[in-house]
Amino acid sequence: MKTAIIIDSTAYASPEIVNHPDVYVLELSTTFADGTVIPDSSDVEVQERFYTKLKNENNLPTTSQPSPGKYVKIVEDIIKKGYEQLLCIHLSQTFSGTYQTANMIVDAYADQIDAHVIDSKGVSEVIGAIVEQALDMLETDLEFSEICEKLEWVAKNSTIYLTVSDLYNLEKGGRVNMTTARIGSLLKVRPLLYVDEQGEVKVLDKIRTDKKVNRRLAQIAKEDEEKFPNGIMLRFAHAVDEERVKETIQVVHEAVPHLDYKVGTLGPVIGTHTGMGTVGMGTIPIADY
């Protein structure tokens, strides 16, 4: 059956995914206190403009929840094109109302298309990796319900690990508690954070140097790969800090040289929460299909 996939712009997806004929991207944006609107984008120039402005602002910008009207337009377009099945894969619902909006809209069209909404529990390269597996599964003889079940398993067992230059944004946005943020600042530590199964940001370790953070990430990559029979997809992302992410990749790759990896960026919507200089690593289990 003909199947469409809707993702949101926080996937900062590769050109291969964005330009796939069956993939549709829902655009989000950020709005600063002075009314400046910057679209959520993987374009490096847009991202640099956003982070430069963010650094000079006292207040965090607001991030847009997609309007139901925009989502309706995409779904109706998909139905008109003759698609019979629809997968919606979105950023963690703890970061945005996109997941709830998607559920509300597809429920309204349940009599016209068989749809399933997945909370990726993450962002960026994690969403892209789930989409890659989805596209592969759709080439098999698996039933749609079985594909949805397997992708839910992938999302549930994927983990994002990240280190940030400053916990201010995460604290202001309510992603980490005030005590954690202040301890990090006072002790001059770089907390290694992770996104748990509920999509919430938690502290994994308190580490003092980037070198030790990278060694810990290398250990995690090995441990996570050993958890899953089919191994993992390894993904990295950064907030306009190529030098730091290259250092991280080098250390991790030495520990797991047989694992391929991809590198992406963190655009305005996610950067609002994490700030400039963030480096993240995602481990995404490979489903059995």
Side-chain angles (χ1 to χ4, degrees), residues 10 12 40 51 63 91 95 123-124 266-275:
T10 66
Y12 310 117
D40 197 33
Y51 284 110
T63 56
L91 79 164
F95 284 98
V123 294
S124 185
L266 299 173
V269 168
I270 300 306
T272 294
H273 303 293
T274 63

Side-chain angles (χ1 to χ4, degrees), residues 64-185:
S64 71
Q65 179 176 326
S67 70
K70 284 185 178 179
Y71 216 105
V72 165
K73 189 176 185 304
I74 293 176
V75 172
E76 289 186 344
D77 184 40
I78 285 169
I79 292 170
K80 285 177 184 176
K81 290 179 178 178
Y83 287 97
E84 299 165 279
Q85 298 172 161
L86 171 61
L87 271 170
C88 308
I89 305 172
H90 294 302
L91 79 164
S92 169
Q93 61 178 309
T94 63
F95 284 98
S96 167
T98 308
Y99 173 79
Q100 289 90 343
T101 297
N103 272 306
M104 177 182 70
I105 300 302
V106 300
D107 282 350
Y109 289 87
D111 60 335
Q112 298 180 56
I113 192 166
D114 187 4
H116 185 83
V117 183
I118 294 173
D119 178 353
S120 71
K121 305 293 194 301
V123 294
S124 185
E125 289 291 320
V126 170
I127 297 176
I130 296 173
V131 173
E132 287 177 35
Q133 292 195 50
L135 291 170
D136 286 344
M137 289 183 198
L138 290 168
E139 296 295 322
T140 70
D141 294 327
L142 289 172
E143 295 290 331
F144 185 62
S145 59
E146 194 173 356
I147 290 173
C148 295
E149 183 179 334
K150 289 179 181 294
L151 293 176
E152 288 283 5
W153 176 85
V154 172
K156 180 181 178 181
N157 289 283
S158 296
T159 308
I160 293 175
Y161 305 91
L162 67 154
T163 178
V164 299
S165 294
D166 189 338
L167 287 166
Y168 170 80
N169 291 57
L170 285 168
E171 180 196 346
K172 291 292 287 183
R175 308 304 167 186
V176 297
N177 63 50
M178 187 181 298
T179 302
T180 296
R182 289 181 177 174
I183 287 175
S185 298

Side-chain angles (χ1 to χ4, degrees), residues 36-86:
T36 300
V37 177
I38 298 182
D40 197 33
S41 173
S42 56
D43 183 275
V44 174
E45 290 186 2
V46 174
Q47 291 183 358
E48 288 179 347
R49 180 160 59 92
F50 167 78
Y51 284 110
T52 299
K53 186 169 179 57
L54 181 68
K55 187 166 58 173
N56 297 317
E57 293 287 322
N58 293 322
N59 299 311
L60 295 183
T62 58
T63 56
S64 71
Q65 179 176 326
S67 70
K70 284 185 178 179
Y71 216 105
V72 165
K73 189 176 185 304
I74 293 176
V75 172
E76 289 186 344
D77 184 40
I78 285 169
I79 292 170
K80 285 177 184 176
K81 290 179 178 178
Y83 287 97
E84 299 165 279
Q85 298 172 161
L86 171 61

Side-chain angles (χ1 to χ4, degrees), residues 11-46:
Y12 310 117
S14 67
E16 291 78 14
I17 290 176
V18 172
N19 296 323
H20 192 285
D22 298 324
V23 175
Y24 298 77
V25 182
L26 182 71
E27 301 291 345
L28 280 69
S29 63
T30 56
T31 304
F32 286 88
D34 64 3
T36 300
V37 177
I38 298 182
D40 197 33
S41 173
S42 56
D43 183 275
V44 174
E45 290 186 2
V46 174

